[in-house]
Amino acid sequence: MGNSEDTNKNKDEVEKEENKNVLQSTRTVIKRALDRLGYPQEVFELMKEPLRMLTVRIPIRMDDGSIHIFTGFRAQHNDAVGPTKGGVRFHPDVSETEVKALSIWMSLKAGIVDLPYGGGKGGIICDPREMSFPELERLSRGYVRAISQIVGPTKDIPAPDVFTNSQIMAWMMDEYSRIKEFDSPGFITGKPIVLGGSHGRESATAKGVTICIREAAKKKGINLEGARIVIQGFGNAGSFLAKFMHDTGAKVIAISDVYGGLHDPDGLDIDYLLDRRDSFGTVTKLFKDTISNSELLELDCDILVPAAIENQITKENVQKIKAEIIVEAANGPTTIEATEHLNERGVLLVPDVLASAGGVTVSYFEWVQNNQGYYWTEEEVEERLEKVMVSAFDNVYKVATSRKVDMRLAAYMVGVRKMAEASRFRGWI
Ligand code: NAD
């Protein structure tokens, strides 16, 4: 018992440290971006923390009759541009620091793809894998009741994130509509289509990553037909991406989940793997011949896509990374030191705040459709997403080349500028 408690304590400490580092490194890059753009220190002071951070305690009756008090958070980073927007994460490792960092990233993403939003984020410390459907419903509704005063279609619009899905969004929308006594589809995005969800939302992040891969490959003169791609993570982002890359004629030579990776230099059978994966994005347990996640990152390939968790490419393994292009579908997979090293080596790294912005873009489309009460076809959504992502990629690439900075710093420069200008015009700074 003593040992397992020690191990848990160490794990908690490591996670706290990692979250702190993620927030710290986001702030470091924001500071660099603001300095490059010539903004004074007070702009950084405004942007280094969310404007609002609500912590809530949610009592839920569990199926066995006991009461469990869950802790949840909602961070609203900056609403100078417009209402804040960002997902709600259900995960045992959710923390205040992580939610803060994620809300800042959402502000940057909104700025990069030029949406009329600021960034927000929410989370509940829980393990949905160990909860029943009715318990999850009670928790989702309880969370909305707890945060209802600070959210709303023109205030702060939640969405799905890790371990939350369209069913959870539907419960949350229903709860909010009951509290406000009018139907409010624009309160939340990522809903089922029959409740005002948008076509193309589920695969939007992967579509956006696919567009970034295609644009990056053009810059590097890599032909995607036959290009070797490695994807870490086989959840929502990773699995749709594997399918899209496979469909473009690229060779997905490795994928992984939390338990390990599968590798075949001749290309994996993606349709088969998609068929066998479970709803948590796991598939490798069905196979004997697996590799570790760290081996997967170091494989010989043309394009590497981390699509799982933070802090995967660090100063410890960056020397062994062989890809020419890295496109970050996950949030925060590469540390600042590793980014600098890759940049020096001429690796083209498309940062998370740009590469994974397809999800929030189609969430915005969903909100627009809800507000106007008129719905678009899948083709219309895809066409608009294509335009937004290509223009965002070009814009960031141009800033990177003209200002001689890496793509991450360039993306942050684009992302903070709109927020800083809106805050200035409002007279906040
Ligand atoms: P998901 O929960 O659907 O899938 C996560 C995948 O990563 C699963 O295959 C899981 O097994 C794997 N994984 C978990 N822990 C791992 C570990 N320690 N090592 C290796 N693999 C591990 O999540 P998702 O929605 O696909 O999101 C993945 C990443 O992309 C996250 O960083 C998320 O914040 C980011 N992202 C997702 C979206 C979206 O719309 N889904 C949007 C923007 C950013």
Side-chain angles (χ1 to χ4, degrees):
M1 183 68 188
N3 271 348
S4 98
E5 271 181 4
D6 281 352
T7 319
N8 282 342
K9 211 162 121 202
N10 285 342
K11 188 175 165 266
D12 285 352
E13 272 161 16
V14 169
E15 268 151 16
K16 260 194 212 148
E17 207 41 53
E18 282 184 352
N19 286 335
K20 252 198 250 153
N21 290 345
V22 168
L23 181 59
Q24 204 44 52
S25 48
T26 306
R27 284 179 179 155
T28 305
V29 188
I30 287 188
K31 177 83 176 89
R32 285 182 192 167
L34 290 168
D35 286 350
R36 284 274 180 162
L37 293 167
Y39 284 105
Q41 177 69 18
E42 56 258 35
V43 181
F44 173 70
E45 291 300 323
L46 180 72
M47 284 180 191
K48 71 179 193 190
E49 283 277 326
L51 291 177
R52 242 165 266 115
M53 178 79 208
L54 181 66
T55 302
V56 293
R57 304 190 72 228
I58 314 159
I60 297 296
R61 187 170 298 280
M62 308 304 280
D63 291 346
D64 65 4
S66 67
I67 299 282
H68 188 95
I69 318 286
F70 290 89
T71 301
F73 307 97
R74 187 73 196 171
Q76 299 174 343
H77 175 243
N78 186 297
D79 55 8
V81 172
T84 46
K85 172 117 195 67
V88 182
R89 181 171 287 203
F90 282 10
H91 199 278
D93 302 337
V94 162
S95 70
E96 186 175 329
T97 318
E98 182 190 57
V99 172
K100 276 186 186 176
L102 291 167
S103 75
I104 300 178
W105 281 338
M106 286 308 296
S107 283
L108 293 166
K109 281 187 200 186
I112 291 165
V113 282
D114 201 13
L115 307 180
Y117 290 143
K121 203 76 182 192
I124 302 179
I125 305 170
C126 66
D127 194 344
R129 291 165 294 193
E130 289 178 0
M131 293 172 69
S132 71
F133 224 55
E135 286 170 344
L136 274 177
E137 176 172 355
R138 290 195 286 273
L139 181 60
S140 306
R141 290 182 184 277
Y143 178 68
V144 171
R145 286 195 298 276
I147 63 165
S148 66
Q149 284 171 338
I150 66 158
V151 289
T154 53
K155 281 189 191 172
D156 180 16
I157 307 132
D161 195 79
V162 176
F163 290 164
T164 53
N165 56 25
S166 58
Q167 174 60 78
I168 290 175
M169 299 305 109
W171 289 325
M172 290 187 173
M173 190 276 271
D174 184 65
E175 191 65 25
Y176 185 83
S177 298
R178 283 172 190 222
I179 294 169
K180 299 293 170 186
E181 297 183 343
F182 56 84
D183 193 41
S184 312
F187 155 64
I188 203 161
T189 58
K191 301 178 292 294
I193 302 270
V194 291
L195 289 182
S198 178
H199 286 290
R201 173 61 187 87
E202 216 193 349
S203 58
T205 301
K207 260 271 143 62
V209 177
T210 307
I211 295 167
C212 287
I213 292 176
R214 189 192 66 209
E215 297 304 303
K218 278 190 215 158
K219 301 287 180 209
K220 277 281 190 185
I222 294 178
N223 184 358
L224 277 188
E225 186 81 37
R228 294 161 309 152
I229 314 229
V230 168
I231 302 172
Q232 184 192 34
F234 208 56
N236 173 279
S239 67
F240 276 113
L241 177 68
K243 172 84 183 131
F244 294 149
M245 294 320 298
H246 180 66
D247 291 348
T248 60
K251 223 192 296 175
V252 180
I253 61 164
I255 60 106
S256 73
D257 58 30
V258 65
Y259 303 106
L262 301 172
H263 176 218
D264 182 345
D266 295 325
L268 295 164
D269 184 346
I270 295 302
D271 288 329
Y272 176 74
L273 295 175
L274 287 173
D275 200 43
R276 306 301 306 273
R277 86 185 251 281
D278 67 16
S279 61
F280 293 108
T282 43
V283 69
T284 65
K285 274 212 269 189
L286 303 171
F287 298 84
K288 282 209 182 83
D289 222 3
T290 56
I291 57 172
S292 69
N293 265 287
S294 36
E295 285 169 325
L296 173 121
L297 295 169
E298 296 165 12
L299 286 172
D300 195 9
C301 65
D302 302 303
I303 299 162
L304 171 64
V305 184
I309 52 161
E310 294 102 26
N311 291 320
Q312 294 303 289
I313 306 175
T314 64
K315 64 177 186 315
E316 271 74 44
N317 66 356
V318 67
Q319 319 263 11
K320 299 185 199 137
I321 303 286
K322 300 183 187 71
E324 269 188 75
I325 295 174
I326 298 176
V327 179
E328 296 180 332
N331 283 313
T334 317
T335 63
I336 296 190
E337 296 98 319
T339 301
E340 283 162 4
H341 183 96
L342 292 164
N343 195 41
E344 276 161 24
R345 266 176 38 199
V347 174
L348 178 53
L349 185 148
V350 184
D352 46 10
V353 282
L354 166 61
S356 69
V360 67
T361 303
V362 177
S363 267
Y364 164 63
F365 295 163
E366 181 173 331
W367 180 75
V368 169
Q369 293 171 76
N370 295 150
N371 291 346
Q372 64 185 6
Y374 179 74
Y375 289 85
W376 308 341
T377 62
E378 182 145 13
E379 292 70 37
E380 283 173 296
V381 171
E382 280 188 12
E383 230 172 78
R384 289 173 205 258
L385 176 62
E386 166 81 24
K387 271 194 200 138
V388 170
M389 289 305 298
V390 170
S391 140
F393 184 96
D394 283 349
N395 199 12
V396 170
Y397 192 82
K398 258 188 223 138
V399 172
T401 30
S402 65
R403 304 294 293 261
K404 297 192 173 45
V405 296
D406 63 53
M407 288 281 280
R408 189 182 312 282
L409 184 51
Y412 273 57
M413 286 165 73
V414 173
V416 294
R417 181 173 227 144
K418 191 170 166 189
M419 204 173 12
E421 285 305 288
S423 303
R424 194 169 63 80
F425 276 118
R426 280 181 185 263
W428 293 356
I429 43 174

